[in-house]
Amino acid sequence: MNGPRTFFSLCLIIGGVLGFLIINDTLPEREIPAEVVAGHEIWRRYNCAGCHTLHGQGGAYGPDLTTNYTQRGETYLREFFVNPNAFHPNARPMPRFALTVAETDALIAFLADAAMSEHALAWPPRMIAVSGLSGVGMESFVEIEDDRGTPEPAAILRGRETFTRQCASCHSLMPDSGGLPGPSLFGIADRAWYRVIGQSAEQYIRISILDPSDYIVEGYADVMPKNFGEILSSDEINDLVIFMLMLEDPNAGDYDFGGARGSE
Amino acid sequence: MMMNQMMRRVVIRLFAQTVLLLILYVFVTLIGAVKFLQSDDPLALAFPYQQVGPMAEMLLYLTILTGLLGGGIYIVISERTDGHTRDEAVLQYAALGWTIFLALAFIAGMLDLLSGRHGLPLPAILSIMKIILAGILIIAAVRSVREWSSVVVIWLAGMAIVLLTSAAGLITSSDYATESLIRTFTSGLRLHVGFTLAAIALGYWLMHRFSNITPGWSESSLYIVAGFLTLAGLIVTLGPLNAFSAGPVTEMFMRIGGVIIPLSYMLLAAHSYRALSDRNATHTLSAHWYTLGLILFLLGTGILGTIATYPEVNRWLQGTRLTDLQTTLVALAASAVCMGVINQAGAELRGENRRITGLLPFWLAAGGILLGGFALAGAGLVQVYLERVLSVGYLETQDFIVPLYAGWVAGYVIFALGTLIYALGFYARRPYFTERDQLVDG
């Protein structure tokens, strides 16, 4: 009997040593900004992990939020927290938590920290989109240097190139349209998410490229070519969408969202 | 081999609580599962998923913990002492305290005070209460042990790991990743090592009851199997770490899991097969429930655990229905063993060699769990393919797999029916509270 008992004891000891090695093998200590700590506290208080996963851990009732900040950006998230169900009216309901401005800031800082961390770059293997057939992989966000030597995600650079080649003759990137036949795309990332209730900015931009007649901006004619789905590859469209999602307006906070929503 | 009335009451109370908790778990899970069907949910605001999910998880883990406590205490007192302990009063008051703790935990769940999804997401004060009361129950029971059999040693080791990991899980950190690491690691060890060891110990006790295996063989084989299961459980625990904190050492051990985990569970299956193929004249359903537990362990850890631990595969599965199913199957396996112990101990406490809960609830529970499990496995596979491989949006993917969620709901409806009939059988043939100290020896 001593043999099997010794074997079991040895396994327990080996298990303990392995556990110690594994704990030491994992996370390095790091400085956490106070706002991120506050955001973590809000994450706990409202039991966000009861429905959502972060780095694959938590409830699986809602989407994984590891790369949510990267996909949506701050402006979208800020509005989303006010009334989540307006964005996905036919999907699983999310409670309204009536967050204060400070709480919202902290929660966004927490999600930004989770999305930008070293771990988020290693997982998931491909970006998990909340909604829409995005087809965007993490490799799109690997940074390369642009022609001025500034590091930028590869997808944005490719998207900018596609924009210059295919779109710049009709759309301006300045605040006014500059006399071009199409509306200016200055700040489109800040406007796209509230154009159609329940539709993400990504979806709105993608549909606007593929089926431009679906959304005609007031004051403009339906003259945009309808064949971009044929002449651009899916990767080019993905890159173009990512580039446009970066076109933010620094004064977006001054917009009167309530009046503008759904009017176009 | 006798048990006095006071000890009898303690054990029966724990068994009754286990059955009640299982019913509550199944019904709360059913409420949660219905929310996945995307239809109008009348409880969307009154009982939202963020409350339902953690509560279902807590109820399942409390079912196991209470069942393992009741089963272990029954075995220790009825077999290894004189039918009572030196600390009877302590045991009795601790059992009363456990009842109060369970009531408080349920109230905490109803008041939405649970947090996170890590096995036992209790508020800290209730976690401390749980650790203290379970510790007292275990110590009071084992203090009178005359001879330490492998069943008692492994059960005690498993319960000690459960309590230690529960205590370690109370550590918080300002860094989300560090806190998540602590929660994931401790809850994984609690389930895959602690609960698993204690359940397997009770399973070997059941083998003694329903088969002709010799005590010497089972003594040595339990130690060997438990040793392997400890290592296998530790490695399965590493799987979830892969998504956010695994370094090269951790990844190396995860690769070793491809050999250790199947080997450990093949060994357990081989030992169990030997016992199941040499049955004695016991008429309780302990062999049935043990077999169900074994199958769920094999599916949960032996197959899904092995797959989900391999680093390259794990990256695609983490956070899907498949990893969720993996832990649920292991927890249900431990619950099935507890149901087997209740069946056997209930018959022994009545002094009868007959089943006390019948075949119908067994087949309904087994069928319901397997139907629900396979539906969830299908949902998980489709989710991985659409959401992770093809990058289809999460919401569109979930819409697509609603029919599989319907299978999950159907499975849990059958499971719920089985648990209700089990509870009725348990109540109808509940053990006597009066002094009728007989024994069914199997």
Side-chain angles (χ1 to χ4, degrees), chain B residues 230-254:
Chain B
T230 303
L231 297 179
L234 177 72
I235 293 170
V236 173
T237 299
L238 303 181
L241 305 185
N242 194 37
F244 63 97
S245 65
V249 177
T250 311
E251 201 170 301
M252 185 185 75
F253 287 126
M254 288 168 72

Side-chain angles (χ1 to χ4, degrees), chain A residues 24-57:
Chain A
N24 277 338
D25 183 48
T26 51
L27 298 168
E29 285 207 9
R30 61 185 187 126
E31 286 286 320
I32 314 287
E35 200 171 31
V36 174
V37 175
H40 182 196
E41 182 52 40
I42 290 158
W43 176 268
R44 278 201 211 112
R45 191 190 313 151
Y46 291 106
N47 196 15
C48 304
C51 290
H52 292 283
T53 50
L54 199 58
H55 300 294
Q57 307 306 307

Side-chain angles (χ1 to χ4, degrees), chain B residues 65 169 197 234 239 247 317 347:
Chain B
L65 188 52
L197 284 186
L234 177 72
L317 306 188

Side-chain angles (χ1 to χ4, degrees), chain A residues 1 3-23 25-30 32-33 36-38 40-41 43-64 66 72 85 87-88 90-97 110 113-114 117-137 198 203, chain B residues 32 35-38 41 44-45 48-51 53-54 112 114-117 148-150 153-154 157 161 172-181 183-185 193 197 215-216 219-228 230-231 234-235 238 240-251 253 314-321 323-324 383 387-396 398-399 402 405:
Chain A
M1 183 49 55
R5 192 177 292 176
T6 309
F7 174 76
F8 174 66
S9 308
L10 265 177
C11 288
L12 273 185
I13 294 166
I14 292 170
V17 173
L18 289 188
F20 181 76
L21 283 176
I22 289 156
I23 291 283
D25 183 48
T26 51
L27 298 168
E29 285 207 9
R30 61 185 187 126
I32 314 287
V36 174
V37 175
H40 182 196
E41 182 52 40
W43 176 268
R44 278 201 211 112
R45 191 190 313 151
Y46 291 106
N47 196 15
C48 304
C51 290
H52 292 283
T53 50
L54 199 58
H55 300 294
Q57 307 306 307
Y61 184 68
D64 185 274
T66 309
R72 301 301 201 193
N85 295 319
F87 287 75
H88 306 291
N90 298 317
R92 294 170 190 162
M94 175 171 160
R96 293 173 71 170
F97 292 110
F110 171 70
D113 181 71
S117 70
E118 191 184 325
H119 324 298
L121 296 177
W123 192 91
R126 284 189 191 162
M127 189 175 280
I128 302 169
V130 173
S131 180
L133 298 159
S134 79
V136 178
Q203 285 173 306
Chain B
K35 291 176 186 289
F36 279 78
L37 297 180
Q38 312 281 41
D41 177 13
L45 296 175
Y49 190 82
Q50 76 194 63
Q51 189 178 357
D112 198 12
L114 308 180
S115 177
R117 294 295 300 271
W148 290 85
S149 69
S150 58
V153 171
I154 303 297
I161 290 167
T172 57
S173 169
S174 55
D175 184 358
Y176 170 80
T178 305
E179 188 168 294
S180 190
L181 165 73
R183 296 269 190 275
T184 307
F185 197 55
V193 182
L197 284 186
E219 279 286 300
S220 57
S221 66
L222 176 54
Y223 277 124
I224 292 168
V225 166
F228 275 106
T230 303
L231 297 179
L234 177 72
I235 293 170
L238 303 181
L241 305 185
N242 194 37
F244 63 97
S245 65
V249 177
T250 311
E251 201 170 301
F253 287 126
N314 174 281
R315 286 161 57 75
W316 297 91
L317 306 188
Q318 204 50 246
T320 63
R321 303 307 317 179
T323 45
D324 213 24
Q383 184 185 5
E387 182 189 291
R388 306 289 166 94
V389 178
L390 298 183
S391 292
V392 174
Y394 175 86
L395 296 175
E396 288 79 3
Q398 293 297 313
D399 284 343
V402 161
Y405 286 139

Side-chain angles (χ1 to χ4, degrees), chain B residues 115-149:
Chain B
S115 177
R117 294 295 300 271
H118 43 83
L120 279 166
L122 293 164
I125 184 74
L126 284 181
S127 284
I128 294 166
M129 188 177 175
K130 173 196 77 184
I131 294 165
I132 292 172
L133 287 170
I136 293 172
L137 281 168
I138 293 165
I139 292 167
V142 300
R143 256 167 54 86
S144 299
V145 170
R146 290 179 306 190
E147 185 187 343
W148 290 85
S149 69

Side-chain angles (χ1 to χ4, degrees), chain B residues 174-380:
Chain B
S174 55
D175 184 358
Y176 170 80
T178 305
E179 188 168 294
S180 190
L181 165 73
I182 295 167
R183 296 269 190 275
T184 307
F185 197 55
T186 53
S187 65
L189 283 179
R190 185 163 58 230
L191 176 65
H192 292 114
V193 182
F195 282 145
T196 300
L197 284 186
I200 291 300
L202 298 194
Y204 268 69
W205 176 79
L206 287 177
M207 281 187 203
H208 276 294
R209 286 293 190 261
F210 66 69
S211 84
N212 293 315
I213 55 168
T214 61
W217 176 84
S218 71
E219 279 286 300
S220 57
S221 66
L222 176 54
Y223 277 124
I224 292 168
V225 166
F228 275 106
L229 291 184
T230 303
L231 297 179
L234 177 72
I235 293 170
V236 173
T237 299
L238 303 181
L241 305 185
N242 194 37
F244 63 97
S245 65
V249 177
T250 311
E251 201 170 301
M252 185 185 75
F253 287 126
M254 288 168 72
R255 288 181 200 287
I256 296 171
V259 177
I260 297 277
I261 303 167
L263 181 70
S264 308
Y265 281 85
M266 279 162 65
L267 194 64
L268 173 66
H271 284 193
S272 305
Y273 177 74
R274 179 173 169 181
L276 287 164
S277 59
D278 187 13
R279 299 273 300 275
N280 61 20
T282 299
H283 296 304
T284 64
L285 289 182
S286 50
H288 291 68
W289 285 103
Y290 175 74
T291 307
L292 176 62
L294 176 70
I295 290 170
L296 296 178
F297 269 127
L298 292 177
L299 290 173
T301 316
I303 296 174
L304 266 181
T306 307
I307 295 168
T309 305
Y310 206 72
E312 279 73 18
V313 183
N314 174 281
R315 286 161 57 75
W316 297 91
L317 306 188
Q318 204 50 246
T320 63
R321 303 307 317 179
L322 283 173
T323 45
D324 213 24
L325 176 65
Q326 192 265 317
T327 51
T328 306
L329 283 179
V330 178
L332 287 174
S335 308
V337 174
C338 291
M339 292 299 113
V341 171
I342 291 172
N343 211 287
Q344 180 68 29
E348 292 183 8
L349 285 166
R350 285 174 64 91
E352 296 166 354
N353 179 16
R354 55 178 289 198
R355 46 180 86 138
I356 62 162
T357 56
L359 267 172
L360 183 63
F362 168 78
W363 285 116
L364 287 174
I369 292 171
L370 291 175
L371 173 63
F374 281 118
L376 271 190

